[in-house]
Amino acid sequence: MSTNTTQYANSARFAHRWQQWKVARERELAHPHGWLALVSLDWLSHSPQEYPGAPGTWWQDRDAAYVDPGGAELTVGGEPVTGVRRFELVNSGSGVRVAAGEVEIEVARRSGYLIRVHDPSAPALAGFAGVPTYDPEPAWVIRGRFEPFERPRPVTVGAVVEGLSHVYLAPGLVRFAHDGAEHTLIAFNGPRGDGLSILFTDATSGVTTYAANRALELESPDDGVVLLDFNRARNLPCAFTDFATCPLPPPGNNLPFAVTAGELLPYERRRDTPDPRHAS
């Protein structure tokens, strides 16, 4: 296992492809109902209550979340909510969006149920100036090998919110070499249903990159071979907003060297935010 430089001998082409990835990544972050549009997070109680920015009354029981529109105009998937609506969701899975005018209320399950309001007029969205990154470097594309488990294993990890945990299925391990030493990372299934996803920290975490985690998506293994392109290591939503409940990396996914590639600590998290027009 070694750094794969032959495929990226044309550095201009490599940089162009990375720039395309970066533009698409920032376009996704700037979506009017994306993570930067979050303005609140509320945990539902077992008694119907009203919450700021979320019309209707909301509550939960052991199995599901509920909303009673109470005359408010709410829709789910374009269909009006005309009475009490029940949402039974998978823990740590994708949520459901309830539209209320210009805002969307996300219903999600993280042990208990929560609602988060996505508002296109959110200050964080209005002030978004892109994501600072290290310069792309072909040497940070590293060849590795995927070693599948006999059966996918459920792995429990912590969260950036104290007291929460997430459970993900791990299909196997990824092994790779760096500076003559071998490293092993637990891999989860990719967020879009294909490929692999790795949560990790490294020696830059809490220094130049977000302290809690970064994520790296890998294409599906080709005869067991995978490419770890650390230039595309990205921040999770919790790096941008306090209204996220992101998972922490599993034990062992802490790399002992500095991965000087991928996304840096967001401007929004820096005490002395530089002018993005002059930032590298």
Side-chain angles (χ1 to χ4, degrees), residues 64-230:
Y66 302 84
V67 62
D68 183 347
E73 294 185 7
L74 305 179
T75 61
V76 176
E79 297 295 323
V81 178
T82 57
V84 173
R85 181 68 176 262
R86 183 177 188 271
F87 306 97
E88 185 170 355
L89 304 174
V90 175
N91 189 36
S92 300
S94 299
V96 172
R97 298 293 183 100
V98 179
E102 293 296 314
V103 307
E104 289 185 357
I105 302 122
E106 175 191 4
V107 186
R109 189 174 189 175
R110 302 290 185 267
S111 298
Y113 280 89
L114 60 85
I115 57 173
R116 293 187 281 213
V117 176
H118 297 249
D119 187 342
S121 62
L125 189 59
F128 181 55
V131 186
T133 63
Y134 286 102
D135 291 334
E137 173 53 62
W140 278 112
V141 183
I142 300 176
R143 187 186 299 270
R145 178 159 293 279
F146 175 65
E147 298 180 359
F149 297 137
E150 185 176 346
R151 293 189 182 90
R153 300 176 184 175
V155 176
T156 301
V157 298
V160 295
V161 176
E162 187 175 355
L164 285 187
S165 62
H166 297 266
V167 180
Y168 297 103
L169 280 180
L173 303 173
V174 169
R175 297 187 188 276
F176 69 97
H178 176 74
D179 283 347
E182 185 176 82
H183 304 278
T184 304
L185 297 168
I186 295 175
F188 296 139
N189 292 316
R192 295 174 180 82
D194 60 350
L196 302 170
S197 181
I198 292 175
L199 298 177
F200 73 97
T201 55
D202 65 276
T204 71
S205 302
V207 182
T208 57
T209 63
Y210 184 58
N213 49 37
R214 283 195 290 170
L216 184 64
E217 268 71 63
L218 281 59
E219 293 184 0
S220 298
D222 181 3
D223 196 25
V225 175
V226 291
L227 289 182
L228 296 89
D229 186 352
F230 285 104

Side-chain angles (χ1 to χ4, degrees), residues 20-41:
Q20 288 180 313
W21 169 82
K22 187 175 189 296
V23 169
R25 162 76 170 146
E26 293 180 341
R27 184 183 300 123
E28 180 183 26
L29 282 170
H31 189 281
H33 291 108
W35 289 106
L36 292 175
L38 281 173
V39 294
S40 66
L41 181 156

